[in-house]
Amino acid sequence: TQLLEQSPQFLSIQEGENLTVYCNSSSVFSSLQWYRQEPGEGPVLLVTVVTGGEVKKLKRLTFQFGDARKDSSLHITAAQTGDTGLYLCAGPVGLGTSYGKLTFGQGTILTVHP
Amino acid sequence: GAVVSQHPSWVICKSGTSVKIECRSLDFQATTMFWYRQFPKQSLMLMATSNEGSKATYEQGVEKDKFLINHASLTLSTLTVTSAHPEDSSFYICSAPTRSSGRAYNEQFFGPGTRLTVL
């Protein structure tokens, strides 16, 4: 079973601070995805990382895929109150699968205070 | 990106009744859709995989007779919670994978979720 361990589970910070969320596994993933979910809504895809060592930036968000494709991180610079939400990492079940089934990390609840 | 809709967005029902939730892919075809359950401040828990033209595949511990899934067409999957009880109250979310041309991986698009409250 491919599991994703996400940390921290809760993060409460002040506006303007930086933060990093980690997503680790003992298994290799062909890709990893990061989602953001607001209360009462479905998750929204932020990014997919595919290549080991890949770094992708989305405005103040930086996503990194580990060289061995077993871990990923999400770094937010100068957090804003609008970044508040549940952040989820997810990866396809089975190396190289095209099936679409995902396994999710436990999620990180981020609260950014003004 | 692709759009997935769910209906209803919320429903309140009496214990013992059945509730049907629809999941539609609006601008793409989905031979496979997924149904998740989510408790407050927790991650998504996969319940079952809905397959167009064949039976759904249920995750371990999920009662298939309790949560009936029908993938009626390439754009519609339904989840029926039969004989609902208060412990079935939860946020139910569906998703559908799609692959953009030139990409070697699927992207998963989620519906907005359905809040079920069983009294």
Side-chain angles (χ1 to χ4, degrees), chain B residues 5-11 18-24 33 35-36 47 67-70 76-82 88 90-94 112-117:
Chain B
S5 71
Q6 271 184 251
H7 178 81
S9 56
W10 59 271
V11 57
S18 295
V19 174
K20 180 185 285 188
I21 302 170
E22 293 185 347
C23 178
R24 293 180 185 272
M33 291 184 178
W35 286 96
Y36 297 85
M47 298 174 64
F67 299 99
L68 299 179
I69 291 173
N70 181 31
L76 173 64
S77 174
T78 59
L79 168 67
T80 301
V81 183
T82 63
D88 298 323
S90 191
F91 194 54
Y92 292 87
I93 306 175
C94 69
T114 297
R115 172 73 60 191
L116 170 63
T117 302

Side-chain angles (χ1 to χ4, degrees), chain A residues 12-28:
Chain A
S12 180
I13 62 172
Q14 294 296 126
E15 199 167 29
E17 293 182 2
N18 302 331
L19 66 111
T20 302
V21 179
Y22 299 93
C23 182
N24 297 308
S25 178
S26 58
S27 304
V28 176

Side-chain angles (χ1 to χ4, degrees), chain A residues 8-60:
Chain A
Q9 189 175 355
F10 299 94
L11 203 49
S12 180
I13 62 172
Q14 294 296 126
E15 199 167 29
E17 293 182 2
N18 302 331
L19 66 111
T20 302
V21 179
Y22 299 93
C23 182
N24 297 308
S25 178
S26 58
S27 304
V28 176
F29 282 87
S30 57
S31 64
L32 282 179
Q33 298 178 342
W34 285 92
Y35 294 84
R36 178 170 169 264
Q37 184 183 20
E38 297 195 37
E41 300 180 9
V44 175
L45 178 65
L46 295 174
V47 77
T48 301
V49 286
V50 182
T51 306
E54 182 177 13
V55 176
K56 283 191 173 179
K57 291 191 175 184
L58 189 66
K59 295 183 181 179
R60 294 176 293 99

Side-chain angles (χ1 to χ4, degrees), chain A residues 10 31 33 35 37 40-43 45 48 50 56 86 88 97-102 104-107 109, chain B residues 32 34 36 38 41-44 46 49 51 57 59 91 93 97 99 105-113 115:
Chain A
F10 299 94
S31 64
Q33 298 178 342
Y35 294 84
Q37 184 183 20
E41 300 180 9
L45 178 65
T48 301
V50 182
K56 283 191 173 179
L86 172 65
L88 297 160
T97 183
S98 61
Y99 178 39
K101 188 174 179 179
L102 294 175
F104 282 85
Q106 299 96 322
I109 297 176
Chain B
T32 301
F34 300 95
Y36 297 85
Q38 186 178 34
K41 297 186 177 181
Q42 292 188 22
S43 187
L44 279 67
L46 180 64
T49 303
N51 304 299
T57 305
E59 296 299 303
F91 194 54
I93 306 175
R99 177 175 289 185
Y105 56 87
N106 292 306
E107 287 188 325
Q108 194 94 212
F109 293 93
F110 288 82
R115 172 73 60 191

